Amino acid sequence: MVRVLVVGAGATGAFFGARLLQAGNEVAFLVRPRRREVLRERGLRIVSAEHTEVLHPELLVAGELSDAYDAILLSVKADALPAAIEDFAPAVGPGVGIIPFLNGMAHLDVLNDRFGTGSVLGGVVKVVTFVDENGDIRQLAPLADMVIGEQTGEQTPRLAALADGFGSAAFPFATSGRIVTEMWHKWVFIASAGAVTTLMHGNIGEIAAVPGGADFATAVLSEAAAVSAAAGHPMTGREFGTTRELLTAHDSAFAPSFYRDLSRGLPTEVEHVFADVVLRGEKLGVDTPLLKLATINLRVHQNRVSAA
């Protein structure tokens, strides 16, 4: 059993925190006051096509933290990161593992600067969930897995202890000796999927079904993969091929959260996911015209949302 603090009870944090709690770990959620009211009233609900699960976890708000935890799972939007850091800082003690599940890579630099690389692990999760109008977590597909690792690639006693607690949860779990590379490759995927769907205004299958759609998706992926390679994290031919298959599948109804947010008139993480990969590409000498186009598109959307 490990003591876990989950920062943020949104679509990702709530799902994995609930599964860790069900596995017998001591789990608390650090949330905003309004979110705590909703969760106290309804419970933390995980809703899938098969059933609805209702949990009643420990709920904390800023200022109520006093003890240190074994692990801090950080699952907030990038623009909420500075405030979240101040909120959970009292829970950071010796030997803690801060494990972020944010999109992109900029957050890793921020956390390393604040807490030191020795306190921050890398993490990658895959799950298809969203928060509905009632505040419940809706799971759209059975896919859900987690990979964590030390930034150095070492198999440390801390990582082994966390694996003991996390490995018993009801989702595929693994540790990795190349977690930073895996984080980069996830960034390649989400930036590519987000750019393709938001520019073409359709899901992956709809885009792949029209002439030129698959070629366009492959071109976007090639740009993102080139930035990753220039940064020291190249994709193997097999990894690139697998990702390309996901982005060009004719029967796929997949659309990332960026597309859903765009369609619903909600803010997107344009600066942290798209603009940052373009900026890193410029610094590394990699041209990314299609990703630049996606960035401009989403910045226009962001300005419209902010003005409203």
Side-chain angles (χ1 to χ4, degrees):
M1 181 187 77
V2 295
R3 296 192 73 229
V4 181
L5 178 68
V6 180
V7 183
T12 300
F15 178 86
F16 285 103
R19 293 292 183 252
L20 291 172
L21 179 62
Q22 290 171 324
N25 295 287
E26 184 179 340
V27 180
F29 290 83
L30 180 63
V31 296
R32 297 298 182 193
R34 185 176 179 181
R35 181 64 170 150
R36 180 161 71 172
E37 291 177 9
V38 172
L39 293 174
R40 280 179 170 174
E41 178 182 346
R42 293 184 57 79
L44 196 167
R45 295 173 179 253
I46 309 293
V47 183
S48 66
E50 292 76 27
H51 54 268
T52 297
E53 303 166 86
V54 183
L55 290 80
H56 297 279
E58 180 182 7
L59 303 170
L60 304 171
V61 296
E64 294 181 350
L65 292 173
S66 57
D67 298 328
Y69 288 78
D70 300 317
I72 298 175
L73 303 189
L74 182 56
S75 180
V76 297
K77 293 289 187 181
D79 58 0
L81 180 60
I85 287 175
E86 298 306 318
D87 290 346
F88 76 74
V92 178
V96 70
I98 303 171
I99 311 173
F101 297 129
L102 283 73
N103 291 321
M105 293 295 293
H107 64 279
L108 201 59
D109 298 331
V110 173
L111 293 168
N112 287 340
D113 288 344
R114 175 63 184 271
F115 300 105
T117 56
S119 294
V120 184
L121 285 75
V124 172
V125 290
K126 298 174 184 175
V127 67
V128 187
T129 52
F130 73 97
V131 180
D132 68 14
E133 65 277 5
N134 295 317
D136 301 338
I137 309 303
R138 294 266 174 181
Q139 185 177 10
L140 303 179
L143 171 69
D145 61 58
M146 177 189 296
V147 181
I148 66 173
E150 300 281 0
Q151 293 185 60
T152 61
E154 298 175 87
Q155 294 295 318
T156 62
R158 173 177 63 182
L159 188 60
L162 294 177
D164 284 342
F166 288 19
S168 59
F171 55 79
F173 170 83
T175 61
S176 172
R178 58 194 291 269
I179 192 64
V180 175
T181 293
E182 295 197 36
M183 292 172 68
W184 263 95
H185 291 179
K186 181 184 177 182
W187 189 12
V188 168
F189 173 73
I190 63 172
S192 300
V196 169
T197 56
T198 56
L199 283 173
M200 295 297 105
H201 297 280
N203 64 38
I204 292 299
E206 290 171 332
I207 297 163
V210 302
D215 290 339
F216 171 73
T218 301
V220 175
L221 171 61
S222 296
E223 289 185 4
V227 177
S228 182
H233 304 280
M235 304 180 82
T236 66
R238 181 177 181 180
E239 288 170 330
F240 184 89
T242 299
T243 305
R244 180 175 56 195
E245 288 178 5
L246 292 173
L247 295 176
T248 59
H250 285 243
D251 59 348
S252 174
F254 173 70
S257 60
F258 308 103
Y259 177 65
R260 296 196 297 270
D261 290 342
L262 179 72
S263 302
R264 295 165 62 190
L266 299 175
T268 68
E269 294 181 303
V270 55
E271 299 303 323
H272 305 279
V273 175
F274 301 94
D276 192 31
V277 74
V278 168
L279 178 61
R280 293 184 191 229
E282 291 175 350
K283 292 180 178 179
L284 294 166
V286 179
D287 193 22
T288 55
L290 296 176
L291 288 168
K292 286 178 182 177
L293 183 63
T295 301
I296 295 169
N297 177 48
L298 288 173
R299 278 175 169 166
V300 171
H301 167 77
Q302 193 79 5
N303 287 344
R304 186 180 296 125
V305 171
S306 298

